[in-house]
């Protein structure tokens, strides 16, 4: 039987590509692999190093970051419709649907290592080798506070599931907690 709520899986490549998949769809060939539902072969000019899907607006968009220092938001609504059809037994679109970037910005001075989306889909956070993390208002990627304090690159950044906090982990072996929305280190 089809999965009650089709969901998307996103993957990024060292070649800068982005692909969306429906893991609840039947394989294209018995014992075979899934075909991607939607792709962007040139999502980033260099390796795509970080991505996060919308949490509440399932299938609405994905945020990506790369070694090119760019942060991009991609419209995935058509892929979500294709995922629902694929989960019900329809074939994946051939060729895969194209993904469209709806917002993009030069986000950091060095490569982006991680991105995350807040539980309410209102904010994103990006972490960079430039020793900062940064908050962004979604869906337009409006810049918010820069989270400064790590002495080495920031390798990860995650929103707390319920509280208005962001945790960052840096190459300086320090984990920091930041209050939202002002970005003060607590």
């Amino acid at each position: 039987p089809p999965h009650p709520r089709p969901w998307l899986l996103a993957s990024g490549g060292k070649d800068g590509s982005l692909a969306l998949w429906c893991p609840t769809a039947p394989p294209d060939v018995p014992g075979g692999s899934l075909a991607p539902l939607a792709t962007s072969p040139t999502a980033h000019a260099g390796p795509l190093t970080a991505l996060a899907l919308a949490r509440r607006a399932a299938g609405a968009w994905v945020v990506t970051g790369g070694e090119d220092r760019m942060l991009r938001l991609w419209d995935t609504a058509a892929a979500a419709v294709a995922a629902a059809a694929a989960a019900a037994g329809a074939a994946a679109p051939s060729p895969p649907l194209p993904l469209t970037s709806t917002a993009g910005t030069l986000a950091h001075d060095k490569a982006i290592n991680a991105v995350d989306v807040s539980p309410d889909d209102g904010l994103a956070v990006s972490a960079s080798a430039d020793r900062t993390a940064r908050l962004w208002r979604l869906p337009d990627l409006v810049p918010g506070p820069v989270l400064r304090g790590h002495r080495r690159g920031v390798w990860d950044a995650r929103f707390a599931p319920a509280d208005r906090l962001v945790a960052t982990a840096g190459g300086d072996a320090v984990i920091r907690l930041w209050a939202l929305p002002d970005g003060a280190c607590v």
Side-chain angles (χ1 to χ4, degrees):
H3 192 274
R5 182 173 178 216
W7 48 282
L8 294 173
L9 176 70
S11 64
K14 285 187 174 186
D15 61 357
S17 65
L18 172 64
L20 296 177
W21 314 80
C22 178
T24 59
D28 292 336
V29 293
S33 60
L34 294 174
L37 297 173
T39 62
S40 174
T42 56
H44 286 270
L48 190 155
T49 54
L51 57 83
L53 287 159
R55 293 174 186 245
R56 297 181 64 124
W61 44 262
V62 63
V63 178
T64 62
E67 274 190 18
D68 59 2
R69 306 172 298 156
M70 293 293 294
L71 191 68
R72 296 188 190 281
L73 188 120
W74 302 85
D75 180 359
T76 61
V81 170
S94 182
L97 301 170
L99 287 169
T100 304
S101 176
T102 60
T105 187
L106 184 60
H108 288 276
D109 293 333
K110 292 187 177 180
I112 296 172
N113 295 323
V115 295
D116 194 27
V117 175
S118 65
D120 67 358
D121 285 345
L123 296 171
V125 62
S126 57
S128 172
D130 69 5
R131 301 181 302 179
T132 68
R134 184 162 201 170
L135 295 172
W136 305 89
R137 194 170 70 235
L138 295 173
D140 299 323
L141 296 178
V142 175
V146 177
L147 311 178
R148 298 181 197 280
H150 285 282
R151 294 185 181 168
R152 301 203 56 193
V154 182
W155 293 105
D156 204 0
R158 297 287 170 226
F159 285 94
D163 295 327
R164 300 285 293 169
L165 294 171
V166 169
T168 57
D172 54 3
V174 174
I175 295 174
R176 293 181 180 272
L177 294 177
W178 309 85
L180 300 177
D182 62 354
C185 186
V186 295

